Amino acid sequence: MRSGLLCVLRGKYSFGLLLAALLTSLTAAQTPTRQPISTEKHSRYQVKLALDFDKRTYTGTERVRFVNRGEHPTSTLYFHLYTNMRVPGYVPPKVDLRQQTSDEPRLDISEVRDASDGAVLMYDLDDFETTLRVNLREPVAPSASTEIEIRFKGSVPEIDPEETGLVTHVMQQVSAALRSTRELRRPRDTNFRCRGVLLLGSAYPVLAARTGDDWFRKVEVSIGDTAMTEVGDYDVTVAAPRSVAVYAPVAAQAVTTKDELTSTTFAAENSRDFAIVAGRDLRLEQRTVEDVTIRSIFQPEHDVAARRVLNIAAEAVRIYVKRLGPLPMKTVSLVDAPLVATLGSAEFAGLSVIAGAFYLDFDSPTMRNMPDVIREQQASVEDSLEWTVAHVVAHQWWGVTVGNDPAREPILDEALANWSALLYYREAHGDAQAAVALDEQLRGVYKLYRTFGGEDMEANRAARDYRNSFQYAAIVTSKGALLFEALRKLLGDEKFFAALGGYYRTNQLEVADLNDLRGAFVAEAPAEQRRAVTRTFDRWLSSKRGDEDIGPPDAKLAAELGLPTKGGNGVLTAFAKVGKFFWGQMTRIR
């Protein structure tokens, strides 16, 4: 989602285009700019969407105010169209001409105009239509701004409910553990309609992030997050059938109804994105803690679990504000939605989505009809949900408030959010329960991964280097989180939280990298401990000492489960012997 600070643009220009760009820059250097100096700190999006819920389509206009924070004029703007990303080898389904048939979302650009006078602007779609390149009529000087208007339309697929159930989630994790299957995040994971819930995670063109004068144009699909954006201010209006409720990261400012359409208007400042959720039967409950309104948005049949989610989230916000620092946003929303089995949760600015498969009420008639092997895992499932709520709430501090590049350095948001969940357990439940959570949710995930034949890896690698959610959870979110426990023991609570708080305050609403995090801890450490801090970072992130520091594979457990040896064919044997153990361990939300 966010940034590293070293990037080289390698655009492919013809000689004619290169000469034109050179002449443009020379002209800009010689001619005083007519553009006023902008008083705004960052970009502004004014988005209007018209949503056809039943057809799963929408049309939209977007007025974008771009502020040039670089050192040189720019005559080109770049936007990401995240919904158009496709995994390598993707083959679209055969089209049924009688109805819309697609298993991926789509975002199409209709036109781009200068917002000041309506003049048409030239644009191109690059990188397999995942990047929109807009050519401005005149360069934007440093600290100046320009506004353009983009017209677009989009669609999302209908997801088969069978892809979103609890059994499917667990069996997917079984498959990832036993077969080391390759997984990649797909746009359909967060842009879809299923079970009466529509999620638009990336429904509009979003400005690519920049460092200095360079644009971060390259986007890769992987098991981790792909979106990397800078903060902006949003004014969003969604028109939908009056029977459809529309939710966003913030509460609606205004709701107007005309004929059969209801228009809902939202405003959010300092936001890195703007996700939208819609449905006919969604419910909302909320409370305010530490000047932050926490909202639980859920399907009616999940009301018991949704209220528990609200309670956990409220306590997590209270703890994080006290120990990490206040949030710049004043609303945090948690959404119950039918996510596909390769995705347990998804985080956006001010809004986190958790797979509805884990919103279970074990006293309900539905659960009473489930197999014993599932019903007996009530404690495991409920503990997993609590940990996940604490984790996704922490992402509002790590990844949203303090931005980073999740594709290049996922350690900065995933590992910190996972360690923050441990902090929640320590503060909310005491040291004894925190020790259990440490063993089960952090050390246990790594050891289970190694027991199933996974190889230890460096935790600071790019997201594309990890094969699936099982490996990613073991190495990045679990082994990476243990770095912070090691630092806490090395420095003591006072200096540890001073360093972490300094990193948080310094990088609020910015894009941080690993050097910023390491530097914050080195700066806070006494002189005699600074080398030890650096060695701790290197040991946990850049080496393969997980077996030594966390624990080796459990050979006895592997034998009891009949796990296949490396290169063996005993997968079916393992499935047959997994039984209660596997349900207890694999009903973790990943």
Side-chain angles (χ1 to χ4, degrees), residues 245-262:
V246 176
Y247 297 94
V250 293
Q253 280 199 330
V255 179
T256 59
T257 300
K258 183 178 180 180
D259 298 327
E260 294 301 313
L261 289 179
T262 296

Side-chain angles (χ1 to χ4, degrees), residues 374-567:
I374 297 177
R375 289 189 291 106
E376 291 171 355
Q377 300 309 319
Q378 178 174 354
S380 176
V381 172
E382 291 181 348
D383 186 56
S384 180
L385 181 61
E386 182 171 12
W387 180 274
T388 299
V389 172
H391 174 100
V392 299
V393 169
H395 267 292
Q396 301 306 318
W397 278 257
W398 315 120
V400 175
T401 301
V402 177
N404 65 285
D405 183 348
R408 191 172 70 87
E409 293 181 328
I411 199 78
L412 290 179
D413 61 304
E414 288 297 341
L416 260 174
N418 222 32
W419 176 83
S420 298
L422 181 64
L423 169 65
Y424 159 85
Y425 264 74
R426 187 173 286 124
E427 297 279 332
H429 299 300
D431 290 339
Q433 250 182 286
V436 173
L438 177 66
D439 281 335
E440 292 184 353
Q441 301 284 3
L442 298 181
R443 293 194 184 106
V445 172
Y446 173 84
K447 289 191 288 187
L448 187 66
Y449 162 77
R450 291 286 288 124
T451 300
F452 276 82
E455 295 184 2
D456 191 10
M457 294 175 64
E458 301 91 341
N460 65 347
R461 296 173 70 166
R464 65 175 180 271
D465 294 335
Y466 303 100
R467 291 191 59 80
N468 52 48
S469 56
F470 191 49
Q471 185 178 63
Y472 191 77
I475 302 299
V476 177
T477 62
S478 297
K479 181 181 176 183
L482 289 167
L483 159 69
F484 299 99
E485 272 301 279
L487 288 169
R488 190 177 71 88
K489 291 180 179 178
L490 174 67
L491 297 175
D493 278 6
E494 182 178 351
K495 292 192 177 299
F496 173 85
F497 282 105
L500 192 60
Y503 169 73
Y504 176 69
R505 290 189 299 273
T506 300
N507 295 284
Q508 274 198 30
L509 306 181
E510 301 293 342
V511 172
D513 64 15
L514 187 56
N515 288 331
D516 296 318
L517 179 66
R518 184 188 291 110
F521 278 92
V522 170
E524 192 63 37
E528 66 275 11
Q529 287 186 312
R530 288 176 182 172
R531 288 186 179 179
V533 168
T534 300
R535 288 194 298 269
T536 301
F537 269 88
D538 292 342
R539 183 180 186 98
W540 284 95
L541 300 186
S542 305
S543 67
K544 301 178 183 179
R545 297 185 178 181
D547 289 6
E548 181 180 347
D549 293 334
I550 305 171
D554 189 332
K556 181 180 178 182
L557 176 61
E560 290 175 353
L561 293 176
L563 295 177
T565 56
K566 192 171 184 179

Side-chain angles (χ1 to χ4, degrees), residues 203-267:
Y204 59 94
V206 60
L207 279 163
R210 299 177 89 204
T211 176
D213 295 309
D214 292 335
W215 296 84
F216 288 100
R217 292 180 54 187
K218 187 175 179 60
V219 178
E220 295 180 302
V221 292
S222 70
I223 189 56
D225 295 329
T226 56
M228 186 181 78
T229 56
E230 296 176 340
V231 297
D233 295 336
Y234 282 83
D235 293 304
V236 179
T237 299
V238 183
R242 63 188 304 173
S243 62
V244 175
V246 176
Y247 297 94
V250 293
Q253 280 199 330
V255 179
T256 59
T257 300
K258 183 178 180 180
D259 298 327
E260 294 301 313
L261 289 179
T262 296
S263 292
T264 309
T265 301
F266 307 92

